[in-house]
Amino acid sequence: MIAQFATALSMIFIFLTLKNPMEFMDSSTRVFNREGFIEVMEEKISKNGKFAVVGVQIEGIKYVSERYGAENGSSLLNSTAEFLKMIDRRCMVFHISAVTKFAILVPEEVNADMIVDKVRRRFNEAFYINEAEVSIWAHISEFNYPEDVKSVQDALDTIDYVTIQASETKEQQIIYGSEFILQKKRREREIEQALDICEALVRSGAVD
């Protein structure tokens, strides 16, 4: 009964925040899109509410599409999105990239570690297409507002940085985001961009 009441409150929040929720729906995965994520996060931050975000980067979908066809790859991605949506109805799931990156917005009353554990355990199990076992895995990030991020851009950058770091391996990884990691990765990115500019200037002959 308590869980059902919490779910009802979550749905009311969605409809109050997203004046027309269907405008923020990803047509392929049937979860909310990146714009919806930005809208909901900004609303929560404006109210100074505490929450967590679990980022899920799914790897292996491209291989499945190439090996078994784009339709099967899309079907697998959609079923994965449905799984994320069903973990806990009090959470909101967003497809935040054109490919395979999702964010789960976890309200304060839900244990984010439990969400991470359920995602981890599902991706430790086999996936099947037409009775053929296929290999896909997930890199998972978890961070909290306001402890680890202060803005929507912080959240998006944290998901990007930790999934880039994790994607260097084919093994499933769980990385806990923090303000330290965020600032470190931004500084590294600034240095990379500065080096790229210097290299371009040297190639163009603008500098010796």
Side-chain angles (χ1 to χ4, degrees), residues 12 15 26 35 45 56 70 77 91 94 103 124 142 187 190:
I12 291 170
F15 279 90
D26 180 70
E35 289 71 28
I45 289 172
V56 182
L77 181 65
C91 300
F94 303 85
N124 280 338
E142 180 191 336
R187 183 59 182 155
E190 288 171 359

Side-chain angles (χ1 to χ4, degrees), residues 162 165 175-186:
V162 298
Q165 179 180 335
I175 299 177
Y176 294 91
S178 68
E179 192 171 1
F180 172 77
I181 288 177
L182 180 63
Q183 298 306 323
K184 177 174 179 288
K185 291 298 182 181
R186 281 180 173 166

Side-chain angles (χ1 to χ4, degrees), residues 22-48:
M22 295 308 296
E23 289 183 4
F24 297 93
M25 190 70 67
D26 180 70
S27 59
S28 59
T29 58
R30 305 305 297 167
V31 299
F32 294 112
N33 59 23
R34 184 185 182 93
E35 289 71 28
F37 179 71
I38 293 170
E39 191 86 5
V40 172
M41 267 207 69
E42 286 180 343
E43 176 70 15
K44 279 186 166 287
I45 289 172
S46 72
K47 296 182 184 311
N48 203 31

Side-chain angles (χ1 to χ4, degrees), residues 109-187:
E109 66 270 17
V110 177
N111 187 335
D113 290 339
M114 178 270 293
I115 302 295
V116 168
D117 187 59
K118 287 188 175 182
V119 175
R120 177 192 62 79
R121 285 191 282 113
R122 176 63 189 96
F123 280 88
N124 280 338
E125 299 172 359
F127 288 82
Y128 293 91
I129 291 178
N130 299 328
E131 299 184 357
E133 183 175 335
V134 297
S135 177
I136 65 172
W137 62 99
H139 300 307
I140 307 164
S141 58
E142 180 191 336
F143 52 91
N144 297 283
Y145 175 87
E147 294 87 350
D148 303 320
V149 298
K150 307 297 184 189
S151 68
V152 176
Q153 194 58 53
D154 284 353
L156 292 169
D157 287 348
T158 298
I159 294 171
D160 285 343
Y161 292 145
V162 298
T163 51
I164 288 170
Q165 179 180 335
S167 62
E168 296 172 359
T169 174
K170 286 190 174 182
E171 296 179 357
Q172 177 176 277
Q173 288 198 35
I174 301 172
I175 299 177
Y176 294 91
S178 68
E179 192 171 1
F180 172 77
I181 288 177
L182 180 63
Q183 298 306 323
K184 177 174 179 288
K185 291 298 182 181
R186 281 180 173 166
R187 183 59 182 155

Side-chain angles (χ1 to χ4, degrees), residues 63-91:
Y63 170 78
V64 170
S65 296
E66 292 172 348
R67 176 75 182 272
Y68 298 97
E71 186 175 340
N72 281 319
S74 295
S75 176
L76 186 57
L77 181 65
N78 294 343
S79 64
T80 302
E82 185 64 22
F83 158 73
L84 296 177
K85 194 165 58 174
M86 295 299 292
I87 292 176
D88 192 311
R89 285 293 193 176
R90 292 170 292 178
C91 300

